[in-house]
Amino acid sequence: MIIDIHTHHFLGRETLKSPEPVEPLMRLAKQAGVTRMNLLGNLFRTGKIRPPARDLKAINTLTMRQVRAYPDFFTGFCYLNPVLDGRFLIDEIDRCVADGNLTGLKFEIDLNCRDPRLDPLLDRARELDIPVLHHSWHNIDLCTQPYKSDPPDIADLAARHPQVTIIMPHLAGVGVRGVLDVLPHPNVLIDTSGGLSVAGLIEYAVDRLGPGRLLYGSDVNGRDFSCQIGRVLGAQVSAKVKEQILWRNAARVLKLGITE
Amino acid sequence: MIDVNVSLGRWPFQRFLFDAARPLARHLKSCGIRKALVASTESVLYPDPDVYDEACFEQIREVPGLLPVKTVNPVLATWRTSLCDFADRYELKAIRLYPSYHRYGLDDPIVNELVKTAIKLKLPVMVAVRVEDERQQYSLMQVPGVPLAAIAKFAAAHPRARVVALNGYFHEIVAVKERRNLYFDIAFAELTDTLRALTEYMPARQLLFGSQTPFLTTKAAAMKVELANISQGNCERIAEGNAVSLFRLDR
Ligand SMILES: [Zn+2]
């Protein structure tokens, strides 16, 4: 069993109305042994960060449609741009999660997560008891950026919302420093997606965080299931730990009720 | 499989899990790799590559399946005598260049001399586009990648040489138009369904299996081949066949 916590079904701008079929990507996933994919939305469909409300809704509507079409294969998260109107964002969470079929929130690089505009959205996640996946990467200039969130920013968000499960993606992007940044926050998990399959990082993260805080993710499209799964299968950790990373931890976070 | 992109040794910015020849060979074998072209990791940064090359080649001499690749820095006064001496003492399979770490251009006249020597010694010339992803480099040691266009120009200027670009990204590799005597390894290349996508841009005869072990996870590269949606013939070419003929290896 493999659950891919971090996937996108990217489409061109003009194809959103008649979207490219998701089935070829599903086929590739299944060929690689993936049993479930968590869709985070077709981000950047407008080619820009900070999409307006209309585009955001279209992205989430498509994710909901894909989950509805293959409920045994897809789960999905509701993508939010936190600079939009706060009332609209709460309504969008309710449309997609409370009244829809999405089971988590996704934030990208629209606003640094130290910004208080995220707080009511995380509060709503706590009320709905859903996880949040927030983009992160260790940027070389090491200072807080207005849009992008580095691991210390994620740690700040995690400290403000200790009861919300936060998935920090891109293990290779956040690196050793990123692992240390979130170490004191047990509500933060890291996904293995992003960047190259840098050797030794999964081993390091398991050693520091324990095996319960890592999730397999590929960040397809653009990434390849084969090597993204290979970086987990090739890690020098026990078969039991690989199983936790490949699906057990995700099944817990997504509340799939799968134990075997 | 035959892995054309393996290193042995230590690197200051990463903790390797395999830094001795025997465990390395065992690990490669467990990933389905029966032969590997191995260069010394320390020779990238230490000023005289001969020192660590020798230590590396003495280690792998005892281990079947690990084949030596000499790191050459043409900026050094001694590169020619050193290369000829190593070619006498070891069964070198290729040379590796790191133009961005050793700070010269591939169009530098000194490189012409080096290529002539490599042709005479029948050694393919490997050019490391990069060693690490630029976004993950140590913040005080930012080393830019070598533009693939410069490597393509270099290969075109030396039609009798066989040139291998290591660690190029997918988008860089597929942008190269002129590539008659130019080959690419797949260690850094990734796109959804990587090998099918690559072979849509170029013939499989120009692609080589490389994992960049121990920097990257060996199994990640191996699975690109294991799950490739390409013909069995092309798969065999990339996994082994191209390397056998390019580096004159025993089957
Ligand atoms: Zn992503």
Side-chain angles (χ1 to χ4, degrees):
Chain A
M1 179 128 48
I2 298 177
I3 300 173
D4 194 331
I5 197 77
H6 189 147
T7 72
H8 307 272
H9 178 227
F10 286 119
L11 312 154
R13 179 185 185 132
E14 62 289 338
T15 57
L16 200 80
K17 276 206 187 90
S18 51
E20 212 174 286
V22 76
E23 285 77 6
L25 188 62
M26 260 177 91
R27 262 197 299 281
L28 284 174
K30 287 181 174 173
Q31 186 205 352
V34 174
T35 34
R36 271 182 175 273
M37 271 170 75
N38 189 43
L39 294 165
L40 301 179
N42 165 41
L43 313 185
F44 307 120
R45 63 165 286 260
T46 54
K48 288 194 289 267
I49 60 166
R50 299 188 162 180
R54 189 174 46 94
D55 287 349
L56 192 93
K57 285 179 80 165
I59 290 167
N60 291 330
T61 299
L62 178 62
T63 307
M64 285 199 281
R65 205 189 322 153
Q66 289 167 333
V67 174
R68 203 179 314 123
Y70 299 98
D72 296 331
F73 191 75
F74 291 129
T75 52
F77 282 10
C78 166
Y79 166 47
L80 297 174
N81 162 14
V83 304
L84 295 175
D85 172 65
R87 190 61 245 168
F88 161 76
L89 291 168
I90 295 288
D91 286 348
E92 182 66 359
I93 296 175
D94 288 346
R95 179 179 82 93
C96 298
V97 180
D99 305 329
N101 57 9
L102 303 187
T103 50
L105 305 183
K106 158 70 176 160
F107 295 93
E108 188 55 31
I109 51 171
D110 302 311
L111 185 65
N112 185 293
C113 65
R114 288 178 193 263
D115 193 289
R117 278 174 280 182
L118 272 91
D119 291 330
L121 309 174
L122 276 271
D123 287 340
R124 189 73 186 120
R126 181 178 45 76
E127 286 160 14
L128 292 167
D129 196 21
I130 53 169
V132 169
L133 191 147
H134 197 303
H135 169 91
S136 191
W137 197 278
H138 242 305
N139 292 292
I140 277 159
D141 46 20
L142 301 176
C143 56
T144 300
Q145 304 193 31
Y147 305 106
K148 294 182 183 174
S149 302
D150 277 31
D153 305 320
I154 299 290
D156 186 86
L157 182 71
R160 284 170 10 235
H161 299 276
Q163 292 181 58
V164 179
T165 296
I166 296 170
I167 302 162
M168 176 170 82
H170 310 142
L171 177 61
V174 301
V176 166
R177 272 186 77 112
V179 170
L180 296 175
D181 286 324
V182 299
L183 180 62
H185 305 282
N187 55 323
V188 181
L189 289 82
I190 304 181
D191 90 27
T192 59
S193 74
L196 296 164
S197 51
V198 177
L201 269 181
I202 289 180
E203 293 84 343
Y204 177 80
V206 167
D207 191 46
R208 287 288 185 172
L209 304 173
R213 289 177 64 182
L214 279 181
L215 304 163
Y216 156 70
S218 66
D219 214 348
V220 293
N221 299 22
R223 293 284 172 185
D224 198 336
F225 292 110
S226 64
C227 51
Q228 296 297 330
I229 293 170
R231 85 205 294 186
V232 179
L233 291 179
Q236 305 297 303
V237 295
S238 71
K240 191 163 168 261
V241 169
K242 285 178 197 171
E243 204 177 87
Q244 282 178 277
I245 299 170
L246 286 172
W247 70 271
R248 281 192 189 277
N249 295 337
R252 185 183 75 235
V253 166
L254 297 173
K255 300 188 182 64
L256 295 176
I258 310 170
T259 52
E260 224 40 71
Chain B
M1 288 188 283
I2 297 173
D3 191 336
V4 306
N5 187 359
V6 171
S7 299
L8 177 63
R10 293 183 175 206
W11 185 250
F13 311 111
Q14 198 176 338
R15 180 170 168 239
F16 291 151
L17 301 170
F18 308 98
D19 60 1
R22 279 183 200 284
L24 175 70
R26 263 198 305 277
H27 164 70
L28 293 172
K29 211 170 162 201
S30 76
C31 295
I33 295 158
R34 60 187 189 93
K35 279 182 203 278
L37 272 63
V38 182
S40 156
T41 311
E42 290 92 343
S43 299
V44 182
L45 297 175
Y46 188 71
D48 180 358
D50 292 7
V51 174
Y52 281 101
D53 278 357
E54 181 163 15
C56 172
F57 299 166
E58 285 302 320
Q59 246 199 92
I60 67 175
R61 195 202 276 278
E62 309 293 320
V63 184
L66 301 186
L67 308 165
V69 174
K70 177 89 184 81
T71 297
V72 180
N73 178 356
V75 169
L76 300 178
T78 54
W79 71 261
R80 192 195 309 262
T81 47
S82 139
L83 176 57
C84 294
D85 170 49
F86 270 76
D88 279 344
R89 289 161 57 209
Y90 302 97
E91 281 194 52
L92 299 183
K93 295 301 174 198
I95 62 172
R96 257 205 227 178
L97 308 182
Y98 296 89
S100 54
Y101 282 82
H102 297 155
R103 308 191 71 175
Y104 58 87
L106 288 169
D107 52 359
D108 198 305
I110 197 76
V111 181
N112 287 334
E113 292 304 304
L114 171 55
V115 174
K116 278 187 210 152
T117 310
I119 292 169
K120 207 162 10 162
L121 295 169
K122 300 193 166 64
L123 294 174
V125 179
M126 297 176 145
V127 181
V129 176
R130 56 178 61 77
V131 175
E132 299 169 304
D133 182 335
E134 284 84 338
R135 298 175 301 172
Q136 263 110 53
Q137 288 173 339
Y138 180 64
S139 52
L140 294 178
M141 197 174 133
Q142 300 287 302
V143 183
V146 181
L148 263 289
I151 300 176
K153 207 171 140 201
F154 166 70
H158 302 281
R160 290 178 56 225
R162 285 158 301 155
V163 180
V164 182
L166 298 177
N167 305 335
Y169 283 116
F170 185 94
H171 69 274
E172 296 174 322
I173 294 174
V174 300
V176 173
K177 291 285 167 277
E178 210 180 323
R179 48 173 188 255
R180 202 186 55 80
N181 56 334
L182 182 53
Y183 303 79
F184 308 90
D185 92 315
I186 62 162
F188 277 47
E190 182 178 358
L191 195 76
T192 314
D193 214 353
T194 305
L195 293 191
R196 190 196 47 75
L198 272 176
T199 51
E200 276 170 11
Y201 285 93
M202 66 181 66
R205 68 163 196 85
Q206 285 176 298
L207 298 169
L208 300 161
F209 174 72
S211 69
Q212 214 221 10
T213 302
F215 291 90
L216 302 183
T217 306
T218 319
K219 185 78 179 160
M223 281 186 66
K224 284 182 199 168
V225 175
E226 286 164 25
L227 293 179
N229 289 301
I230 55 175
S231 73
Q232 211 180 335
N234 279 347
C235 202
E236 196 282 327
R237 277 180 198 97
I238 296 168
E240 293 219 347
N242 297 337
V244 166
S245 46
L246 181 60
F247 300 103
R248 305 144 76 90
L249 307 176
D250 309 325
R251 271 274 166 192

